[in-house]
Amino acid sequence: MENEQVVNTEPELEEEQKTEETPEEKPKEPKKEESEKKYSDEEVNAILSKKFAKWTAQKEKELDEAQKLAEMDAQQKAEYERDKLEKELAELKRENTLNAMGKTARTMLSEQGVHLPDALVSILVTEEAESTKTNVDGFVQLFKEAVDAAVNEKLKSGTPKRMAGGKAMTRDEILNIADAKARRKAIQENLELFN
């Protein structure tokens, strides 16, 4: 009987040791940073509502598709699948055409020295070569006019200050001005001396 007690107590001791070791073995989770975005209940509800609405719409679309297919006979199913594939093919052809026109438009712009991001190039591109060329040419003309106008505006400036007043002041002359307001004004007019 003593053996039974020893046998019975040993597993209890092992279990107690295991339960003591498990908290130490678990890696401590790093504290979450304070900078993580926290959502209010309304924001969480809005996000969940949007996700649920999207999921519901997708499931309804799938159910409608399954119902349509279930109601059709074999010939109608084949026609429906053919129409669906034709639509996909037409969309892929359209995308391919737009990509090719985009490359052509980018080349035309580069030849004229205009480099644009993809978002702007995609606005100029159409499925027809003529309208794409017209769009690119019109944009290049407007772009160059706008750049010229901006450059000319920057080049317009008043008479240089040193020429208008006669001789330029030195740093020492400015620092020797007794009136504080006049000295500040002279410093502002001649900042290059104080850098």
Side-chain angles (χ1 to χ4, degrees):
M1 286 217 248
E2 289 179 47
N3 287 344
E4 288 179 10
Q5 289 176 347
V6 172
V7 172
N8 289 339
T9 57
E10 285 179 8
E12 291 173 4
L13 289 175
E14 288 178 6
E15 287 178 17
E16 288 175 7
Q17 289 174 352
K18 285 181 183 178
T19 57
E20 290 177 46
E21 292 175 359
T22 53
E24 294 174 358
E25 292 175 5
K26 289 183 183 177
K28 293 182 179 177
E29 293 183 27
K31 293 182 179 178
K32 293 185 179 179
E33 296 180 14
E34 294 291 326
S35 64
E36 285 187 29
K37 179 153 175 97
K38 297 184 180 179
Y39 296 101
S40 67
D41 288 342
E42 294 88 26
E43 291 172 330
V44 170
N45 289 340
I47 292 169
L48 290 175
S49 296
K50 287 179 186 177
K51 295 280 185 180
F52 183 72
K54 185 178 178 181
W55 178 80
T56 304
Q58 182 182 4
K59 290 300 174 188
E60 285 177 6
K61 185 177 178 183
E62 290 173 4
L63 286 174
D64 289 344
E65 183 81 16
Q67 254 182 342
K68 282 182 187 178
L69 289 174
E71 293 172 359
M72 295 179 184
D73 64 9
Q75 183 179 0
Q76 288 174 330
K77 284 181 184 180
E79 288 175 5
Y80 177 76
E81 290 295 326
R82 186 194 71 225
D83 290 343
K84 188 175 168 183
L85 290 174
E86 285 176 353
K87 286 179 185 177
E88 287 180 29
L89 179 62
E91 181 61 27
L92 288 173
K93 283 182 178 180
R94 181 181 170 279
E95 288 177 13
N96 190 21
T97 301
L98 288 175
N99 285 336
M101 287 294 176
K103 288 178 184 177
T104 304
R106 185 165 297 287
T107 302
M108 291 168 60
L109 290 165
S110 294
E111 288 172 355
Q112 297 191 26
V114 178
H115 303 284
L116 299 176
D118 291 336
L120 285 176
V121 173
S122 66
I123 292 171
L124 300 174
V125 173
T126 64
E127 292 181 38
E128 298 174 6
E130 281 298 314
S131 61
T132 298
K133 183 175 181 352
T134 303
N135 291 347
V136 169
D137 290 341
F139 179 81
V140 167
Q141 181 181 356
L142 291 173
F143 181 77
K144 287 185 177 183
E145 289 173 2
V147 168
D148 288 342
V151 168
N152 289 335
E153 185 65 32
K154 288 287 183 182
L155 291 177
K156 287 183 190 175
S157 63
T159 309
K161 293 176 184 173
R162 291 189 181 188
M163 294 295 196
K167 76 175 201 177
M169 295 180 75
T170 65
R171 180 183 173 112
D172 292 332
E173 290 173 339
I174 294 171
L175 292 175
N176 289 332
I177 297 174
D179 183 28
K181 286 184 178 179
R183 185 175 48 245
R184 277 190 237 125
K185 183 178 179 187
I187 289 172
Q188 286 178 342
E189 291 174 353
N190 298 289
L191 279 177
E192 69 275 359
L193 297 176
F194 295 91
N195 288 336

